[in-house]
Amino acid sequence: MVEHRRAVVAGWNGFIGHRLVEDLTARGYDVARVGREGPDGRWTDPASIARLVDGADLVVNLAGKNVGCRYNDANRDEILRSRVDTTRQLREAIASAAHPPRLWMNASTATIYRHAMDRPQTESTGELGSGFSVDVARSWEDELFAGDLPGTRRVALRMAIVLGGPASDLLGRVARLGLGGPQYDGRWFQHRRYRGIGAHPTGGPVPMHRTRGRQRFSWLHIDDALAAMRFIDDHDEIDGPVNLSSPNPTDNRTLMAELRRAVGMPIGLPAFRWMLEPALWVLRYESEMLLKSRWVLPERLEAAGFRFRWPDLRPALEDVVGR
């Protein structure tokens, strides 16, 4: 008889988590799911998490409040807490396990890098940014890599925007409405929602960059996100931060043009910041999601031999939005 390996997936009930559970099950793992409501382990029951982690082969943590919201004080605190506290709970469970997992992959974000228009950001040469979103990512990774876990390989998944779920669905709806033109940064009222957070807060005034719709857009198809996690699982030499992003990032103007093409909408009205901010206030989103220039390359994955199924934006969008 073949003994099945156990995988623990925390924060499983988002769109990436659902797909990951399906993928791990197809690969022969017995998957245990941890979340606010379980079903196998709950954050309010640390003993259940410790029981699942002990003897597991693999742990993947995707837990964290959705950042698709306004960064008021309550949401800011919960975005940080939901990432750091859950990561700490898993780290403590692994540290106390008699048989710790061989691999722990923890979600992070490519937003940890600075606004970049001059050159791409890689794991070896990238520069970390400042402000709320970056501070959350720093604190998240600090908790992941804290302490000594000699039996467990730890990987921070610095994910770019993943196509195939809520982000691309929203962009597709915008394009179908004829609003899929480029987004332009510009002057806006100062506020404190992007101020730093955590033990060592960074950042100052609300940033403004004259990008003229050329802010970079790093992305990843959901199929490649899952394939990259499989690849990391199979390659013991990979640890530490890993960029999960397509090798061919684009810019905002090209992204919106390809979206219009994918949904068959010939026009797309451009949006200046003074138009974006009121609209996003109604939608309960923040403009940095569209205006920050994220230029990230998957240096470590490519160096290890990973091959992307969806390296180019046009077919990726046709797959996830066009259909």
Side-chain angles (χ1 to χ4, degrees):
M1 294 181 64
V2 177
E3 183 179 352
H4 284 233
R5 299 175 296 172
R6 181 163 78 249
V8 178
V9 179
W12 62 275
N13 51 354
F15 99 95
I16 297 175
H18 279 290
R19 289 288 303 273
L20 178 60
V21 168
E22 293 173 356
D23 186 69
L24 289 170
T25 302
R27 292 166 55 198
Y29 279 101
D30 288 330
V31 181
R33 293 165 292 172
V34 175
R36 288 190 301 270
E37 304 299 328
D40 304 302
R42 291 180 172 85
W43 297 117
T44 54
D45 182 11
S48 69
I49 297 173
R51 191 165 53 248
L52 293 173
V53 165
D54 196 350
D57 193 66
L58 169 67
V59 172
V60 184
N61 181 26
L62 304 172
K65 175 179 170 57
N66 194 320
V67 295
C69 62
R70 298 291 281 183
Y71 295 165
N72 57 41
D73 286 350
N75 285 339
R76 281 166 45 91
D77 290 344
E78 182 59 14
I79 287 170
L80 178 64
R81 186 208 64 78
S82 63
R83 286 160 172 75
V84 173
D85 286 2
T86 54
T87 302
R88 181 181 300 118
Q89 276 192 251
L90 287 170
R91 181 173 55 78
E92 291 173 349
I94 292 171
S96 63
H99 303 284
R102 60 176 178 81
L103 173 60
W104 174 17
M105 290 188 283
N106 208 80
S108 181
T109 173
T111 299
I112 198 170
Y113 297 110
R114 66 173 173 83
H115 177 100
M117 294 286 291
D118 55 336
R119 64 177 181 85
Q121 306 294 293
T122 67
E123 298 94 336
S124 64
T125 64
E127 299 169 277
L128 304 191
S130 62
F132 170 68
S133 296
V134 172
D135 287 353
V136 168
R138 286 175 185 263
S139 299
W140 206 0
E141 292 193 6
D142 286 347
E143 193 61 54
L144 167 64
F145 294 117
D148 187 23
L149 299 178
T152 302
R153 177 165 56 103
R154 288 177 278 186
V155 175
L157 305 172
R158 290 181 175 174
M159 282 188 271
I161 294 174
V162 180
L163 304 182
S168 52
D169 290 346
L170 175 63
L171 289 169
R173 286 196 297 272
V174 168
R176 288 186 179 94
L177 291 171
L179 303 175
Q183 287 93 37
Y184 298 98
D185 204 347
R187 295 188 182 279
W188 188 247
F189 301 105
Q190 289 297 308
H191 59 74
R192 302 185 68 242
R193 296 193 304 279
Y194 295 168
R195 70 188 185 279
I197 197 171
H200 305 286
T202 64
V206 177
M208 190 275 290
H209 305 276
R210 296 286 187 184
T211 55
R212 296 179 172 82
R214 292 296 184 187
Q215 61 269 29
R216 306 293 294 189
F217 179 81
S218 292
W219 59 276
L220 182 71
H221 191 289
I222 180 60
D223 290 348
D224 283 328
L226 298 173
M229 285 186 262
R230 289 196 298 270
F231 187 85
I232 292 168
D233 189 2
D234 293 336
H235 286 73
D236 294 341
E237 74 277 12
I238 300 176
D239 63 1
V242 178
N243 291 346
L244 268 60
S245 60
S246 163
N248 298 311
T250 185
D251 61 27
N252 177 265
R253 187 185 296 267
T254 304
L255 166 69
M256 301 312 293
E258 291 295 350
L259 274 167
R260 296 194 302 272
R261 181 182 181 279
V263 302
M265 172 56 68
I267 62 171
L269 298 177
F272 296 88
R273 189 166 193 171
W274 61 267
M275 303 161 64
L276 269 178
E277 293 285 359
L280 291 171
W281 178 81
V282 172
L283 293 171
R284 313 310 296 166
Y285 278 83
E286 290 288 352
S287 61
E288 77 161 4
M289 294 186 174
L290 296 171
L291 298 179
K292 180 174 179 178
S293 184
R294 297 172 174 86
W295 191 355
V296 180
L297 291 180
E299 177 185 61
R300 296 194 64 196
L301 281 177
E302 290 198 303
F306 181 74
R307 295 293 177 264
F308 289 82
R309 179 181 174 187
W310 302 97
D312 299 312
L313 182 64
R314 177 173 292 186
L317 285 177
E318 289 174 349
D319 182 66
V320 301
V321 176
R323 58 186 170 82

